[in-house]
Amino acid sequence: MIASVDGRVAAVSPEGAVVEVGGIGLSVQCTPGTIARLAVGEQARLATSLVVREDSLTLYGFADDDERQLFELLQTANGVGPRLAQAVLAIHPPREVRRAVSMGDLKALMQVPGIGKKGAERLVLELRDRLGSTTSDTSLDGPAPAGLGSVTPVAPWRDQLTAALVSLGWTGKEAESAVAQLAPIADEQVVATGSVEVAVLLRQALRLLGRP
């Protein structure tokens, strides 16, 4: 198992990044929140999980060990594969996933593309006793989880989206313009669901800007 990668970021895309380790470029699939923390040419360390299939080897990257462990645990639920598990973490941080499952918050779980009411109910039924208590998590103002010391807290959606676009090659001015155009959509998301889906906004920003 490849538990982590540590090296220079060679490339960043909307789906992930290439990290050079020992002269080898490793393609790592990441959520928008993780991508936003990466910059081409800089050093990065990601917790990783290798998914092996008959016809492929896919490496998934995460901001910290807690995200990786939750990614792997989500896949123990019936009908949840790596892509859906990653989609869950693209929409909700680990603390919110645990809260939603432990409290049976189907509405929060159904915010994830690919999860309907039955899927949300199945996650609650199968994972409620395995995800751990939300009370054991650090508070929003407390220290980051133990693991990768360089990980920073999740930024507000504006900063997170701007950083992701800049890392993909646009100027700060271009990124800020796209973010400003998407602000009404983000506001609608907050009213409808109580949170901002950065993954959705990133895809819309890419459509607005085109390739850099």
Side-chain angles (χ1 to χ4, degrees):
M1 176 182 176
I2 302 176
S4 66
V5 296
D6 190 342
R8 188 183 73 88
V9 178
V12 178
S13 73
E15 292 77 32
V18 175
V19 180
E20 292 184 344
V21 180
I24 299 175
L26 299 176
S27 177
V28 187
Q29 301 294 306
C30 305
T31 65
T34 300
I35 293 170
R37 299 183 176 116
L38 304 177
V40 174
E42 294 188 0
Q43 289 291 120
R45 187 181 183 190
L46 299 172
T48 58
S49 179
L50 180 64
V51 175
V52 180
R53 296 287 185 266
E54 288 186 4
D55 58 349
S56 66
L57 296 173
T58 306
L59 193 62
Y60 290 85
F62 308 92
D64 55 42
D65 292 330
D66 188 39
E67 279 193 1
R68 180 191 64 200
Q69 292 166 2
L70 186 53
F71 168 79
E72 294 172 347
L73 185 56
L74 284 168
Q75 293 177 71
T76 65
N78 186 36
V80 178
R83 288 188 179 277
L84 186 55
Q86 187 182 50
V88 172
L89 293 169
I91 301 301
H92 299 301
R95 181 186 295 106
E96 174 61 15
V97 176
R98 291 192 175 91
R99 185 206 64 77
V101 172
S102 65
M103 300 296 292
D105 188 346
L106 302 184
K107 183 178 179 180
L109 295 172
M110 290 168 61
Q111 292 175 18
V112 179
I115 296 182
K117 184 177 181 181
K118 290 184 178 179
E121 291 173 342
R122 185 166 57 246
L123 284 176
V124 171
L125 178 64
E126 297 185 17
L127 298 180
R128 174 176 277 167
D129 296 331
R130 288 189 279 167
L131 283 183
S133 171
T134 58
T135 58
S136 63
D137 292 340
T138 55
S139 67
L140 292 175
D141 297 322
L148 305 182
S150 61
V151 173
T152 56
V154 176
W157 76 266
R158 288 176 179 270
D159 295 340
Q160 191 174 342
L161 186 57
T162 299
L165 292 171
V166 170
S167 71
L168 290 171
W170 283 278
T171 65
K173 186 176 181 179
E174 290 171 331
E176 290 172 0
S177 175
V179 168
Q181 292 180 64
L182 293 173
I185 297 176
D187 292 340
E188 291 175 2
Q189 290 181 357
V190 172
V191 171
T193 67
S195 64
V196 175
E197 299 180 12
V198 178
V200 173
L201 293 180
L202 178 58
R203 288 194 292 271
Q204 293 175 327
L206 294 176
R207 286 196 292 268
L208 283 174
L209 294 170
R211 297 303 305 168

